[in-house]
mmCIF file of all heavy atoms in Angstrom:
data_model
loop_
_atom_site.group_PDB
_atom_site.id
_atom_site.type_symbol
_atom_site.label_atom_id
_atom_site.label_comp_id
_atom_site.label_asym_id
_atom_site.label_seq_id
_atom_site.Cartn_x
_atom_site.Cartn_y
_atom_site.Cartn_z
ATOM 1 N N HIS P 126 8.675 -11.996 -9.387
ATOM 2 C CA HIS P 126 7.267 -12.352 -9.668
ATOM 3 C C HIS P 126 7.146 -13.307 -10.858
ATOM 4 O O HIS P 126 6.207 -14.113 -10.924
ATOM 5 C CB HIS P 126 6.420 -11.079 -9.871
ATOM 6 C CG HIS P 126 6.789 -10.228 -11.043
ATOM 7 N ND1 HIS P 126 6.500 -10.562 -12.334
ATOM 8 C CD2 HIS P 126 7.415 -9.033 -11.073
ATOM 9 C CE1 HIS P 126 6.960 -9.600 -13.145
ATOM 10 N NE2 HIS P 126 7.529 -8.678 -12.413
ATOM 11 N N LEU P 129 7.550 -16.721 -9.662
ATOM 12 C CA LEU P 129 6.359 -17.150 -8.907
ATOM 13 C C LEU P 129 5.166 -17.429 -9.822
ATOM 14 O O LEU P 129 4.083 -17.743 -9.355
ATOM 15 C CB LEU P 129 5.962 -16.063 -7.891
ATOM 16 C CG LEU P 129 7.005 -15.748 -6.790
ATOM 17 C CD1 LEU P 129 6.609 -14.520 -5.998
ATOM 18 C CD2 LEU P 129 7.193 -16.965 -5.874
ATOM 19 N N GLY P 131 4.355 -15.206 -12.535
ATOM 20 C CA GLY P 131 4.033 -14.012 -13.338
ATOM 21 C C GLY P 131 3.089 -13.082 -12.612
ATOM 22 O O GLY P 131 2.276 -13.487 -11.796
ATOM 23 N N ALA P 132 3.261 -11.775 -12.920
ATOM 24 C CA ALA P 132 2.444 -10.752 -12.210
ATOM 25 C C ALA P 132 1.097 -10.611 -12.849
ATOM 26 O O ALA P 132 0.959 -10.603 -14.066
ATOM 27 C CB ALA P 132 3.191 -9.418 -12.226
ATOM 28 N N ARG P 133 0.071 -10.500 -12.002
ATOM 29 C CA ARG P 133 -1.292 -10.199 -12.504
ATOM 30 C C ARG P 133 -1.491 -8.710 -12.652
ATOM 31 O O ARG P 133 -2.468 -8.264 -13.222
ATOM 32 C CB ARG P 133 -2.338 -10.645 -11.460
ATOM 33 C CG ARG P 133 -2.343 -12.125 -11.182
ATOM 34 C CD ARG P 133 -3.191 -12.324 -9.907
ATOM 35 N NE ARG P 133 -3.057 -13.692 -9.436
ATOM 36 C CZ ARG P 133 -4.080 -14.545 -9.353
ATOM 37 N NH1 ARG P 133 -5.285 -14.171 -9.660
ATOM 38 N NH2 ARG P 133 -3.876 -15.761 -8.900
ATOM 39 N N HIS P 134 -0.583 -7.932 -12.040
ATOM 40 C CA HIS P 134 -0.784 -6.479 -11.995
ATOM 41 C C HIS P 134 0.513 -5.779 -12.367
ATOM 42 O O HIS P 134 1.594 -6.302 -12.096
ATOM 43 C CB HIS P 134 -1.190 -6.029 -10.587
ATOM 44 C CG HIS P 134 -2.214 -6.932 -9.927
ATOM 45 N ND1 HIS P 134 -3.544 -6.895 -10.278
ATOM 46 C CD2 HIS P 134 -2.081 -7.896 -8.998
ATOM 47 C CE1 HIS P 134 -4.198 -7.781 -9.566
ATOM 48 N NE2 HIS P 134 -3.335 -8.427 -8.782
ATOM 49 N N LEU P 137 0.392 -1.772 -7.876
ATOM 50 C CA LEU P 137 -0.544 -2.139 -6.807
ATOM 51 C C LEU P 137 -0.951 -0.886 -6.031
ATOM 52 O O LEU P 137 -0.107 -0.025 -5.769
ATOM 53 C CB LEU P 137 0.112 -3.077 -5.796
ATOM 54 C CG LEU P 137 0.504 -4.480 -6.261
ATOM 55 C CD1 LEU P 137 1.211 -5.188 -5.117
ATOM 56 C CD2 LEU P 137 -0.716 -5.280 -6.666
ATOM 57 N N LEU P 279 5.573 -17.256 2.247
ATOM 58 C CA LEU P 279 4.497 -16.392 1.745
ATOM 59 C C LEU P 279 3.777 -17.041 0.580
ATOM 60 O O LEU P 279 2.554 -17.002 0.465
ATOM 61 C CB LEU P 279 5.121 -15.049 1.330
ATOM 62 C CG LEU P 279 4.209 -13.841 1.293
ATOM 63 C CD1 LEU P 279 3.469 -13.651 2.592
ATOM 64 C CD2 LEU P 279 5.008 -12.568 0.968
ATOM 65 N N PHE P 283 -0.221 -18.042 0.423
ATOM 66 C CA PHE P 283 -1.157 -17.583 -0.612
ATOM 67 C C PHE P 283 -1.934 -18.793 -1.177
ATOM 68 O O PHE P 283 -3.142 -18.694 -1.441
ATOM 69 C CB PHE P 283 -0.433 -16.849 -1.737
ATOM 70 C CG PHE P 283 -0.394 -15.369 -1.576
ATOM 71 C CD1 PHE P 283 0.729 -14.712 -1.126
ATOM 72 C CD2 PHE P 283 -1.533 -14.601 -1.869
ATOM 73 C CE1 PHE P 283 0.762 -13.321 -1.001
ATOM 74 C CE2 PHE P 283 -1.513 -13.208 -1.727
ATOM 75 C CZ PHE P 283 -0.357 -12.575 -1.294
ATOM 76 N N VAL P 293 -5.518 -12.435 1.278
ATOM 77 C CA VAL P 293 -4.201 -12.207 1.880
ATOM 78 C C VAL P 293 -3.730 -10.786 1.539
ATOM 79 O O VAL P 293 -3.641 -10.418 0.367
ATOM 80 C CB VAL P 293 -3.155 -13.226 1.348
ATOM 81 C CG1 VAL P 293 -1.774 -12.950 1.947
ATOM 82 C CG2 VAL P 293 -3.592 -14.652 1.650
ATOM 83 N N VAL P 294 -3.432 -10.033 2.564
ATOM 84 C CA VAL P 294 -2.803 -8.726 2.384
ATOM 85 C C VAL P 294 -1.570 -8.736 3.296
ATOM 86 O O VAL P 294 -1.696 -8.568 4.506
ATOM 87 C CB VAL P 294 -3.735 -7.555 2.772
ATOM 88 C CG1 VAL P 294 -3.026 -6.220 2.531
ATOM 89 C CG2 VAL P 294 -5.034 -7.624 1.941
ATOM 90 N N PRO P 295 -0.380 -8.993 2.724
ATOM 91 C CA PRO P 295 0.786 -9.163 3.583
ATOM 92 C C PRO P 295 1.038 -7.985 4.493
ATOM 93 O O PRO P 295 0.775 -6.835 4.148
ATOM 94 C CB PRO P 295 1.959 -9.311 2.590
ATOM 95 C CG PRO P 295 1.332 -9.743 1.312
ATOM 96 C CD PRO P 295 -0.039 -9.118 1.300
ATOM 97 N N LEU P 305 9.874 -5.487 -0.796
ATOM 98 C CA LEU P 305 9.875 -5.983 -2.168
ATOM 99 C C LEU P 305 9.383 -7.417 -2.229
ATOM 100 O O LEU P 305 8.711 -7.837 -3.179
ATOM 101 C CB LEU P 305 11.298 -5.898 -2.768
ATOM 102 C CG LEU P 305 11.856 -4.471 -2.923
ATOM 103 C CD1 LEU P 305 13.271 -4.525 -3.477
ATOM 104 C CD2 LEU P 305 10.949 -3.659 -3.851
ATOM 105 N N ALA P 306 9.718 -8.227 -1.219
ATOM 106 C CA ALA P 306 9.243 -9.599 -1.173
ATOM 107 C C ALA P 306 7.725 -9.615 -1.148
ATOM 108 O O ALA P 306 7.066 -10.377 -1.898
ATOM 109 C CB ALA P 306 9.817 -10.295 0.080
ATOM 110 N N ALA P 307 7.125 -8.759 -0.321
ATOM 111 C CA ALA P 307 5.663 -8.687 -0.242
ATOM 112 C C ALA P 307 5.098 -8.203 -1.602
ATOM 113 O O ALA P 307 4.077 -8.717 -2.058
ATOM 114 C CB ALA P 307 5.257 -7.731 0.878
ATOM 115 N N LEU P 308 5.775 -7.260 -2.183
ATOM 116 C CA LEU P 308 5.305 -6.676 -3.437
ATOM 117 C C LEU P 308 5.272 -7.716 -4.574
ATOM 118 O O LEU P 308 4.284 -7.822 -5.314
ATOM 119 C CB LEU P 308 6.245 -5.502 -3.811
ATOM 120 C CG LEU P 308 5.979 -4.710 -5.080
ATOM 121 C CD1 LEU P 308 4.580 -4.124 -5.068
ATOM 122 C CD2 LEU P 308 7.007 -3.574 -5.215
ATOM 123 N N HIS P 309 6.344 -8.497 -4.725
ATOM 124 C CA HIS P 309 6.376 -9.511 -5.775
ATOM 125 C C HIS P 309 5.309 -10.592 -5.571
ATOM 126 O O HIS P 309 4.651 -11.040 -6.534
ATOM 127 C CB HIS P 309 7.753 -10.125 -5.896
ATOM 128 C CG HIS P 309 8.746 -9.253 -6.597
ATOM 129 N ND1 HIS P 309 8.891 -9.236 -7.972
ATOM 130 C CD2 HIS P 309 9.645 -8.355 -6.122
ATOM 131 C CE1 HIS P 309 9.847 -8.356 -8.301
ATOM 132 N NE2 HIS P 309 10.310 -7.792 -7.188
ATOM 133 N N CYS P 310 5.166 -11.003 -4.309
ATOM 134 C CA CYS P 310 4.155 -12.052 -4.033
ATOM 135 C C CYS P 310 2.744 -11.501 -4.264
ATOM 136 O O CYS P 310 1.902 -12.194 -4.844
ATOM 137 C CB CYS P 310 4.284 -12.570 -2.584
ATOM 138 S SG CYS P 310 5.728 -13.579 -2.336
ATOM 139 N N ALA P 311 2.507 -10.300 -3.806
ATOM 140 C CA ALA P 311 1.166 -9.712 -4.013
ATOM 141 C C ALA P 311 0.887 -9.568 -5.511
ATOM 142 O O ALA P 311 -0.238 -9.851 -5.966
ATOM 143 C CB ALA P 311 1.079 -8.347 -3.308
ATOM 144 N N ALA P 312 1.912 -9.144 -6.255
ATOM 145 C CA ALA P 312 1.719 -8.986 -7.718
ATOM 146 C C ALA P 312 1.362 -10.315 -8.378
ATOM 147 O O ALA P 312 0.539 -10.366 -9.291
ATOM 148 C CB ALA P 312 2.976 -8.404 -8.335
ATOM 149 N N ALA P 313 1.986 -11.373 -7.904
ATOM 150 C CA ALA P 313 1.778 -12.675 -8.524
ATOM 151 C C ALA P 313 0.485 -13.366 -8.070
ATOM 152 O O ALA P 313 -0.133 -14.079 -8.824
ATOM 153 C CB ALA P 313 2.972 -13.602 -8.220
ATOM 154 N N PHE P 314 0.080 -13.119 -6.798
ATOM 155 C CA PHE P 314 -0.986 -13.974 -6.235
ATOM 156 C C PHE P 314 -2.270 -13.265 -5.861
ATOM 157 O O PHE P 314 -3.300 -13.894 -5.713
ATOM 158 C CB PHE P 314 -0.454 -14.695 -4.997
ATOM 159 C CG PHE P 314 0.732 -15.593 -5.239
ATOM 160 C CD1 PHE P 314 1.901 -15.428 -4.521
ATOM 161 C CD2 PHE P 314 0.667 -16.598 -6.200
ATOM 162 C CE1 PHE P 314 3.007 -16.240 -4.752
ATOM 163 C CE2 PHE P 314 1.762 -17.433 -6.430
ATOM 164 C CZ PHE P 314 2.922 -17.238 -5.693
ATOM 165 N N GLN P 315 -2.236 -11.940 -5.648
ATOM 166 C CA GLN P 315 -3.430 -11.269 -5.142
ATOM 167 C C GLN P 315 -4.469 -11.126 -6.231
ATOM 168 O O GLN P 315 -4.169 -10.630 -7.339
ATOM 169 C CB GLN P 315 -3.102 -9.898 -4.604
ATOM 170 C CG GLN P 315 -2.693 -9.873 -3.149
ATOM 171 C CD GLN P 315 -2.487 -8.450 -2.637
ATOM 172 O OE1 GLN P 315 -2.255 -7.542 -3.408
ATOM 173 N NE2 GLN P 315 -2.577 -8.295 -1.336
ATOM 174 N N THR P 316 -5.702 -11.481 -5.944
ATOM 175 C CA THR P 316 -6.781 -11.210 -6.880
ATOM 176 C C THR P 316 -7.338 -9.794 -6.644
ATOM 177 O O THR P 316 -7.707 -9.106 -7.616
ATOM 178 C CB THR P 316 -7.929 -12.232 -6.725
ATOM 179 O OG1 THR P 316 -8.184 -12.396 -5.338
ATOM 180 C CG2 THR P 316 -7.535 -13.557 -7.341
ATOM 181 N N THR P 317 -7.401 -9.370 -5.385
ATOM 182 C CA THR P 317 -7.789 -7.990 -5.091
ATOM 183 C C THR P 317 -6.540 -7.303 -4.567
ATOM 184 O O THR P 317 -6.136 -7.497 -3.436
ATOM 185 C CB THR P 317 -8.872 -7.970 -3.978
ATOM 186 O OG1 THR P 317 -9.954 -8.802 -4.394
ATOM 187 C CG2 THR P 317 -9.372 -6.551 -3.759
ATOM 188 N N PRO P 318 -5.896 -6.508 -5.444
ATOM 189 C CA PRO P 318 -4.568 -5.990 -5.080
ATOM 190 C C PRO P 318 -4.626 -4.922 -3.985
ATOM 191 O O PRO P 318 -5.479 -4.023 -4.030
ATOM 192 C CB PRO P 318 -4.048 -5.391 -6.397
ATOM 193 C CG PRO P 318 -5.237 -5.122 -7.204
ATOM 194 C CD PRO P 318 -6.286 -6.097 -6.793
ATOM 195 N N LEU P 319 -3.748 -5.055 -3.020
ATOM 196 C CA LEU P 319 -3.615 -4.051 -1.957
ATOM 197 C C LEU P 319 -2.344 -4.384 -1.145
ATOM 198 O O LEU P 319 -2.102 -5.528 -0.822
ATOM 199 C CB LEU P 319 -4.824 -4.068 -1.003
ATOM 200 C CG LEU P 319 -4.843 -2.984 0.052
ATOM 201 C CD1 LEU P 319 -4.972 -1.595 -0.559
ATOM 202 C CD2 LEU P 319 -5.982 -3.201 1.048
ATOM 203 N N LEU P 320 -1.580 -3.350 -0.855
ATOM 204 C CA LEU P 320 -0.361 -3.583 -0.087
ATOM 205 C C LEU P 320 -0.208 -2.510 0.986
ATOM 206 O O LEU P 320 -0.624 -1.371 0.797
ATOM 207 C CB LEU P 320 0.841 -3.576 -1.034
ATOM 208 C CG LEU P 320 2.087 -4.336 -0.556
ATOM 209 C CD1 LEU P 320 1.771 -5.791 -0.228
ATOM 210 C CD2 LEU P 320 3.174 -4.269 -1.613
ATOM 211 N N ILE P 345 5.370 -2.457 -9.973
ATOM 212 C CA ILE P 345 6.029 -3.720 -9.693
ATOM 213 C C ILE P 345 7.373 -3.708 -10.437
ATOM 214 O O ILE P 345 7.383 -3.568 -11.653
ATOM 215 C CB ILE P 345 5.213 -4.935 -10.233
ATOM 216 C CG1 ILE P 345 3.723 -4.803 -9.879
ATOM 217 C CG2 ILE P 345 5.802 -6.252 -9.752
ATOM 218 C CD1 ILE P 345 3.390 -4.745 -8.456
#
Side-chain angles (χ1 to χ4, degrees):
H126 63 74
L129 298 171
R133 298 166 190 242
H134 317 284
L137 294 177
L279 203 53
F283 266 103
V293 178
V294 181
L305 295 177
L308 180 58
H309 282 275
C310 288
F314 301 124
Q315 273 185 337
T316 45
T317 307
L319 186 65
L320 204 56
I345 315 299

